[in-house]
Amino acid sequence: MFKARELDLETLLEAIDRLDTVFAVYDKDHRLVFANESARRGWPKLYDGLARGLSQYDATRLEIASQFPNHSEDDIDQFTEYSVAIASSGKHGEIRAQTGRIYRTHHERLGEKGIVGIGVDLTDLKKHEHELSRLAEENFRLANIDELTGLSNRRHFLSRLDELCDPTHVDPKPFVLGLLDLDGFKLVNDVHGHPVGDALLKEAADRLRSAFCENCVIARLGGDEFGIIVPSEKTADIIETTATDICAVLGQPYELDGERLYVSASMGIASFPNVGQTRRQLMERADFALYHAKQNDKGRAIIFSAEHEIRIRRHASLELGIREADLERELYLDFQPILNAQSQIVTSFEALARWNSPTLGAVSPEHFIPIAEQSGLITKLSPILLRRALREAETWPETISLSINLSSLEVASMEHAQQLMRLIDQSSVNPRRVVFEITETAMMRESKNVLKVLEAFRKVGIRISLDDFGTGFSSLNHVAHMPLDAVKIDRTFLEGIETRRESASVLKTICDLCRSLGLTSVMEGVETPLQARMVKSAGIDFMQGYLFCRPISAGQVQKFLTAERLPEKVQSRQAKA
Ligand code: C2E
Ligand code: MG
Ligand code: MG
């Protein structure tokens, strides 16, 4: 401090001149006495004006006018007034200099002698702050946004659901939770490759975005699954109809990879608070409704109802029943013949699972098979059923084939598939006599593995038949890509065929396509002679249905086959058909 007194003024001013900080001194009448280099460089017009003796207002106005040449005179006046007020009030202000740097300025009275103006350079600090907030935003985005589609991700979706279900809310708002799934997406991915799959997901996301209002949450929950939260007090009917329309929009063809690609969308819906009050309840119920939509009403939206609640209970008791069952004793098979449509000669039998439970009674495969599939128990059932079926087929003539239904789990896993092939190998039945029937839905899941498994089956001579064709989404286009031998056309195609001409031509189209792909066609569920005639004239190769024979026991198959040999039997059936 003592030495500072020896410092001459010139040296001191030179040092101040070199500061990054803006430094200016005015006399008590606000006339400029000194401005350092940073000040002069930052506000050249202002300090030049002040040095020339202009008033503070006029000099400031010159500066502002040169900084904002495109602004109106009024704007410049206003801004000048503001700046002068700040300078004389002693308040802090933030201003940008001509150099682009940002200063935090402050004017202070030096008693009666004058005023000192100081501006601290905040540019680097500001940049740093900006970078920090950009990083925070980026982090938020990464944590909450699905990168591919730009929709919310699962995490964000679930946390929004938690907020909305928060039991401490004084005034909880009703909303609807929708879970949406694209049927057939995996196949697109496998056949056309991931880039095309990604493009399809992006377009599906765009379609969803334009279908919903801004205060809805739309998320991609993973794979081809989407979640939607819509604030709504509407009735179940209206919600279901609106959501089904949205499914239809997503089911419109996608023009990608130079092709028209088809997927369908199904949705399960649960509404808050009447169907579920917690996130878990809502998710489970919407998921259950989705499962039902996929099973029974593909391409539609289904809202969780009281009837579903009953089904959930029944489902649970059936699952427990299967778990506790003595499967070797309680399971058995019925067989239903499949005939050559032209000659009416029986060529094979389809083995159909039956379960006679001591506690639940006779349970239809339509009920227990899906439950066994979902719970994974099917892999315990199938080997038992296949072994039995093979044992029966061993007693049949070599010309008669055996059709067996497989579930999605067996065709999705090479391990299970190999177990089934081993069982055939251990029997005396030639694999060429075995047909595996697989539904479209089963083929569409895990389609990459499925293709490998199907190829492995065919390699040993087992034939593959696409079961219930027409109930899923598979377009004829997809069929062409799959390693198949036959297509079993679902019996729903026979509905109204007696009266509707179009139904007959649809059958003919499917049949022609099968022929052009080198596939055998089989019509399921033929019940009337007229149906049989129409199926035959459509050119379908094989038929199966109550008209010829209901599913019969293994013992009856033997009798049937003996009777079948009699030519008059065939003749009488031919007359009927
Ligand atoms: P599916 O493979 O399509 O079997 C044909 C179903 O249609 C059988 O019902 C059969 O009894 C019925 N059906 C046959 N002809 C007619 C007809 O003229 N009219 C009508 N209305 N129905 C007819 P079932 O036996 O109840 O089997 C239902 C489904 O359960 C089968 O459909 C198949 O998907 C599944 N399933 C049956 N057994 C097995 C099995 O061992 N394993 C697996 N994974 N699934 C099985
Ligand atoms: Mg079948
Ligand atoms: Mg079928």
PDB file of all heavy atoms in Angstrom, residues 350 405 437 467 488 524, ligand 2:
ATOM      1  N   GLU A 350     -55.545 -84.958 -38.427  1.00  0.00           N
ATOM      2  CA  GLU A 350     -54.987 -83.905 -37.569  1.00  0.00           C
ATOM      3  C   GLU A 350     -55.220 -84.325 -36.116  1.00  0.00           C
ATOM      4  O   GLU A 350     -56.345 -84.666 -35.736  1.00  0.00           O
ATOM      5  CB  GLU A 350     -55.661 -82.553 -37.823  1.00  0.00           C
ATOM      6  CG  GLU A 350     -55.162 -81.472 -36.864  1.00  0.00           C
ATOM      7  CD  GLU A 350     -55.705 -80.060 -37.133  1.00  0.00           C
ATOM      8  OE1 GLU A 350     -56.545 -79.892 -38.038  1.00  0.00           O
ATOM      9  OE2 GLU A 350     -55.271 -79.149 -36.407  1.00  0.00           O
ATOM     10  N   ASN A 405     -50.426 -79.780 -34.332  1.00  0.00           N
ATOM     11  CA  ASN A 405     -50.376 -78.324 -34.131  1.00  0.00           C
ATOM     12  C   ASN A 405     -49.204 -77.961 -33.219  1.00  0.00           C
ATOM     13  O   ASN A 405     -49.021 -78.561 -32.169  1.00  0.00           O
ATOM     14  CB  ASN A 405     -51.672 -77.842 -33.486  1.00  0.00           C
ATOM     15  CG  ASN A 405     -52.855 -78.064 -34.398  1.00  0.00           C
ATOM     16  OD1 ASN A 405     -53.040 -77.343 -35.367  1.00  0.00           O
ATOM     17  ND2 ASN A 405     -53.631 -79.102 -34.116  1.00  0.00           N
ATOM     18  N   GLU A 437     -48.533 -78.071 -38.101  1.00  0.00           N
ATOM     19  CA  GLU A 437     -49.410 -76.927 -38.383  1.00  0.00           C
ATOM     20  C   GLU A 437     -49.032 -75.790 -37.447  1.00  0.00           C
ATOM     21  O   GLU A 437     -48.986 -75.962 -36.238  1.00  0.00           O
ATOM     22  CB  GLU A 437     -50.870 -77.317 -38.154  1.00  0.00           C
ATOM     23  CG  GLU A 437     -51.355 -78.363 -39.125  1.00  0.00           C
ATOM     24  CD  GLU A 437     -52.871 -78.560 -39.066  1.00  0.00           C
ATOM     25  OE1 GLU A 437     -53.555 -77.821 -38.320  1.00  0.00           O
ATOM     26  OE2 GLU A 437     -53.348 -79.467 -39.767  1.00  0.00           O
ATOM     27  N   ASP A 467     -51.453 -72.662 -40.457  1.00  0.00           N
ATOM     28  CA  ASP A 467     -52.803 -72.922 -39.938  1.00  0.00           C
ATOM     29  C   ASP A 467     -53.612 -71.631 -39.827  1.00  0.00           C
ATOM     30  O   ASP A 467     -53.048 -70.552 -39.640  1.00  0.00           O
ATOM     31  CB  ASP A 467     -52.682 -73.559 -38.540  1.00  0.00           C
ATOM     32  CG  ASP A 467     -53.891 -74.402 -38.181  1.00  0.00           C
ATOM     33  OD1 ASP A 467     -54.881 -74.401 -38.948  1.00  0.00           O
ATOM     34  OD2 ASP A 467     -53.844 -75.084 -37.138  1.00  0.00           O
ATOM     35  N   LYS A 488     -53.540 -73.776 -44.634  1.00  0.00           N
ATOM     36  CA  LYS A 488     -54.877 -74.179 -44.213  1.00  0.00           C
ATOM     37  C   LYS A 488     -55.722 -72.930 -44.090  1.00  0.00           C
ATOM     38  O   LYS A 488     -55.464 -72.077 -43.228  1.00  0.00           O
ATOM     39  CB  LYS A 488     -54.827 -74.905 -42.863  1.00  0.00           C
ATOM     40  CG  LYS A 488     -54.310 -76.312 -42.980  1.00  0.00           C
ATOM     41  CD  LYS A 488     -54.452 -77.063 -41.667  1.00  0.00           C
ATOM     42  CE  LYS A 488     -55.795 -77.754 -41.561  1.00  0.00           C
ATOM     43  NZ  LYS A 488     -55.836 -78.673 -40.399  1.00  0.00           N
ATOM     44  N   GLU A 524     -60.443 -75.649 -44.056  1.00  0.00           N
ATOM     45  CA  GLU A 524     -60.877 -76.132 -42.743  1.00  0.00           C
ATOM     46  C   GLU A 524     -62.378 -75.902 -42.576  1.00  0.00           C
ATOM     47  O   GLU A 524     -62.934 -74.985 -43.177  1.00  0.00           O
ATOM     48  CB  GLU A 524     -60.237 -75.306 -41.627  1.00  0.00           C
ATOM     49  CG  GLU A 524     -58.753 -75.263 -41.579  1.00  0.00           C
ATOM     50  CD  GLU A 524     -58.264 -74.416 -40.392  1.00  0.00           C
ATOM     51  OE1 GLU A 524     -58.924 -73.442 -40.007  1.00  0.00           O
ATOM     52  OE2 GLU A 524     -57.205 -74.768 -39.869  1.00  0.00           O
TER      53      GLU A 524
HETATM   54 MG    MG B   2     -54.607 -77.112 -36.872  1.00  0.00          MG
END
